Amino acid sequence: MSGPPFAAPGPDAAVFVISVAAELTGLHPQTLRTYERLGLITPGRTVGGGRRYSARDIERLREIADLTSSGIGIEGVRRILELDNRVAALAARNEELQAELDATRDALRQALTGRSLDQAPANKLPVLRQTSTGQSVVVWRRGR
């Protein structure tokens, strides 16, 4: 009998019970509960209320364990994790802006190379518009 192929759960799939998460991280289950109470980790919950940890949660718990074992207090750990999250968010935003800038430059390049002396270029992108004089292109960014 052949069924569908097994697919490994993603990094955010909450699949580990607290005892397995404790074993994988080398932490006591009560420590995991304390970290949850302090807001350092937020495991998923079953319908019955049991905690379920994801691979990403396990990685975060290991990071917390490494930081605390090197002498950093819980508030220091909280601040480090907060700053890590901010850095990741800023890096993602930077990538978005870079992609937008690249697309705008490409569109501008296409608009400028497609221009003939007596004909304005056909502009298919809403972020580029030719001015009434036909001499310049105004590029702006739409609000979100």
Side-chain angles (χ1 to χ4, degrees):
M1 209 172 179
S2 79
F6 176 74
D12 293 319
V15 294
F16 302 107
V17 295
I18 193 166
S19 60
V20 174
E23 187 174 326
L24 290 172
T25 60
L27 299 170
H28 192 276
Q30 191 59 43
T31 304
L32 274 58
R33 291 183 192 98
T34 300
Y35 289 167
E36 179 185 0
R37 209 170 29 257
L38 293 171
L40 297 176
I41 194 87
T42 307
R45 295 286 184 159
T46 64
V47 176
R51 291 172 177 84
R52 293 293 187 269
Y53 295 86
S54 68
R56 198 176 309 274
D57 292 334
I58 300 297
E59 187 57 39
R60 176 168 252 200
L61 287 165
R62 286 177 178 154
E63 185 179 357
I64 293 168
D66 288 345
L67 291 169
T68 56
S69 69
S70 66
I72 298 173
I74 291 297
E75 285 307 312
V77 169
R78 182 189 318 274
R79 185 70 176 139
I80 288 169
L81 295 176
E82 182 182 298
L83 290 172
D84 280 347
N85 289 340
R86 288 176 88 185
V87 166
L90 288 171
R93 181 66 177 137
N94 191 39
E95 286 180 27
E96 286 176 17
L97 292 172
Q98 187 62 50
E100 185 178 325
L101 177 61
D102 291 343
T104 302
R105 283 180 176 159
D106 288 344
L108 181 58
R109 198 174 298 115
Q110 288 175 1
L112 292 175
T113 57
R115 179 186 297 177
S116 67
L117 294 175
D118 56 342
Q119 183 180 12
N123 182 7
K124 295 179 182 173
L125 293 176
V127 294
L128 297 175
R129 299 282 187 252
Q130 186 146 357
T131 62
S132 59
T133 63
Q135 298 296 316
S136 62
V137 175
V138 177
V139 179
W140 74 93
R141 194 182 134 128
R142 288 187 277 175
R144 291 187 178 231

